[in-house]
Amino acid sequence: MTIGQIAYSILYKPTLSFRYHVNHFGLFGWLAMRTGENQMKKAVRQLPPIEFSKDKVLEVCYLTGEKYWHQTIFCAYTLARSLNGRVGIKLYSDGTLTDDHIRMIRKVLPGVESIPEMQVISYLDAILPEKKYPTLRYLRNWHPFFRRLTDIHTSPSWTMHLDSDMIFFDKPGQVLAAYEKKSSIYMKERLANSYFVDTVDHLRDKHHINCIRNVNGGMIAYDNDKIDYIDLEEKANYLLLKYPGAGPAQIEQTLMSYVLYTQTAVPLDEHKYAVFYDKLPALNDLQIVRHYIFKAKFPYLTNEWKKVIR
């Protein structure tokens, strides 16, 4: 290793998260967030278990692990509570989910199904063999983001994945209707441009890759059986070649949006299924789901989760 690489691995990388949060929230803000998240981890263990029903009106999936297991519980708990337990929940590992995490989740959500890593690999070897789909398999190993695309969305039939940093405050009627009709849906981004490798216009005009604008990855559902994996492999390889500096989140969001375009997906009502970005989000009683990203992590970790247990 070079001196620069050593300095990066010892000094820069371990403090990256700390420096990011202090830069955006200040030292006291960072401490408040740390305190709030530690309280969240303790409080989650005190939530009363949800009784699950076999009469399901919805099935959802989460990609989770050691950094998110407590957030997954709060999101899934509020969803299950809003549906009186009539929901099926599957857990997929981001590579860090342990048996202890699964036990803690099942104390509150005894009806969840955890999909074993070896089962996922065996299934992928059959559906996406590495010799035929080297790029898609490479992406899965590159970053956990892609496990939503490969692990969750290669399972049979219509599938919905949810991010963990969300809270449900009411029954998600539009999502239930999509599940019943098996129609494709996504959470709508409020920012001017989605987090893609390029603008939607450039992707279409320069590369003949059509994407839906303003896609947020918090809630996405589509029919896995309708995916053309040969085409998706070609698109993934092309994006890596044309955008070598793009990060994994940008590649994954672009591919997800492309799949949604091919299935004529429709957005969830952005006023009811709201994405928040700021430290002072505009909250109202119409919001069924709140997704907290960027600076909205501050109210999420310090206060919003507490509304679940009041």
Side-chain angles (χ1 to χ4, degrees), residues 38-302:
N38 287 334
Q39 292 174 343
M40 187 181 189
K41 291 178 180 179
K42 293 179 181 178
V44 79
R45 294 178 169 88
Q46 307 303 318
L47 291 174
I50 291 284
E51 183 177 345
F52 281 76
S53 170
K54 293 182 179 179
D55 181 21
K56 300 174 185 176
V57 294
L58 180 65
E59 293 181 277
V60 300
C61 303
Y62 290 90
L63 181 70
T64 190
E66 63 180 356
K67 292 183 179 179
Y68 310 107
W69 64 270
H70 52 298
Q71 297 181 21
T72 302
I73 291 178
F74 269 96
C75 182
Y77 178 84
T78 54
L79 171 61
R81 187 171 63 179
S82 73
L83 297 177
N84 298 314
R86 299 177 64 191
V87 60
I89 299 173
K90 292 182 179 180
L91 303 177
Y92 288 80
S93 175
D94 64 4
T96 64
L97 190 67
T98 67
D99 290 340
D100 285 340
H101 296 139
I102 295 171
R103 279 192 290 270
M104 287 186 285
I105 294 172
R106 282 180 173 160
K107 284 183 180 179
V108 180
L109 304 162
V112 301
E113 179 184 359
S114 177
I115 310 300
E117 178 84 359
M118 292 306 299
Q119 179 178 321
V120 172
I121 296 298
S122 177
Y123 186 76
L124 288 178
D125 286 343
I127 301 298
L128 295 177
E130 193 163 0
K131 285 187 177 180
K132 189 174 182 179
Y133 302 99
T135 308
L136 292 176
R137 295 299 293 268
Y138 162 77
L139 292 178
R140 183 185 186 272
N141 295 329
W142 181 24
H143 197 280
F145 276 134
F146 295 102
R147 294 193 179 202
R148 298 191 299 188
L149 187 70
T150 58
D151 297 17
I152 293 177
H153 284 287
T154 54
S155 58
S157 190
W158 185 95
T159 303
M160 165 170 263
H161 78 252
L162 306 180
D163 279 355
S164 295
D165 52 356
M166 303 194 298
I167 296 177
F168 286 78
F169 291 90
D170 206 345
K171 184 181 295 185
Q174 192 176 355
V175 173
L176 298 180
Y179 175 72
E180 185 176 354
K181 297 177 182 178
K182 300 299 181 284
S183 54
S184 301
I185 54 174
Y186 61 94
M187 184 172 260
K188 189 175 182 181
E189 190 80 55
R190 288 193 296 110
L191 296 179
N193 291 305
S194 296
Y195 198 57
F196 299 158
V197 298
D198 206 335
T199 66
V200 170
D201 291 339
H202 281 176
L203 287 167
R204 181 193 64 227
D205 298 337
K206 291 168 57 178
H207 308 302
H208 308 292
I209 298 176
N210 289 298
C211 293
I212 292 179
R213 298 176 187 272
N214 305 106
V215 171
N216 179 275
M219 304 175 72
I220 285 179
Y222 53 81
D223 190 340
N224 302 342
D225 294 337
K226 295 180 180 179
I227 301 174
D228 182 343
Y229 288 111
I230 294 177
D231 175 60
L232 194 62
E233 168 73 16
E234 292 175 352
K235 294 293 188 297
N237 184 57
Y238 185 83
L239 291 176
L240 285 177
L241 291 174
K242 292 295 181 179
Y243 297 92
Q250 294 171 296
I251 297 287
E252 191 254 7
Q253 285 279 77
T254 305
L255 290 174
M256 279 284 190
S257 180
Y258 170 69
V259 171
L260 290 170
Y261 179 90
T262 66
Q263 298 199 17
T264 321
V266 298
L268 294 166
D269 185 330
E270 63 186 295
H271 302 292
K272 295 181 178 179
Y273 301 83
V275 183
F276 295 118
Y277 312 85
D278 304 317
K279 288 177 66 175
L280 297 173
L283 308 178
N284 63 64
D285 293 337
L286 294 177
Q287 291 154 1
I288 293 172
V289 181
R290 296 173 185 168
H291 186 200
Y292 312 88
I293 62 177
F294 301 141
K295 293 183 180 180
K297 295 292 186 185
F298 184 86
Y300 169 61
L301 293 174
T302 58

Side-chain angles (χ1 to χ4, degrees), residues 17 20 32 119 227 308:
S17 178
Y20 171 85
Q119 179 178 321
I227 301 174
V308 173

